[in-house]
Amino acid sequence: LLGDIARDRGQSKKALAAYGKVIQKYPKSKEAIKAQYEIAKIYKEEKNYEEVAKAAKDLLRLTGNLGRKYLEDERVKGFLDDMKRAGESLLQGQ
């Protein structure tokens, strides 16, 4: 994905835009799920937890039946666990 190239170059805004285009053009594809996952990861790296929460919610919405196998991926499980812990910490004011 073009977003991967931009992200590898440290261009997170361009990566977010590229991933967004993939989701917009191919919303029911595996690539859209990967793009949404990458969006959430970028926001996590930027410590923008409000956007992480939105991106994670969108990831769950996109996955539906198509993403069941994707959600079984250990990397995705780990990421979602990290997001859950981050959200819990924010709610506790830490």
Side-chain angles (χ1 to χ4, degrees), residues 16-62:
L16 290 169
Y19 290 135
K21 286 180 184 177
V22 170
I23 294 166
Q24 195 172 33
K25 286 185 177 184
Y26 311 102
K28 295 184 179 184
S29 69
K30 289 181 181 179
E31 288 77 15
I33 294 169
K34 180 191 182 302
Q36 189 62 51
Y37 174 70
E38 295 298 330
I39 287 171
K41 282 176 44 179
I42 289 171
Y43 285 131
K44 179 185 174 198
E45 290 167 3
E46 294 177 348
K47 297 183 180 182
N48 185 342
Y49 297 115
E50 188 173 320
E51 290 299 322
V52 170
K54 290 178 189 175
K57 194 177 202 180
D58 288 342
L59 176 62
L60 293 173
R61 179 186 52 77
L62 277 175

Side-chain angles (χ1 to χ4, degrees), residues 44 49 76-88:
K44 179 185 174 198
Y49 297 115
V76 176
K77 282 183 182 179
F79 177 77
L80 293 175
D81 287 343
D82 288 348
M83 293 304 92
K84 181 180 176 186
R85 283 191 294 277
E88 289 169 349

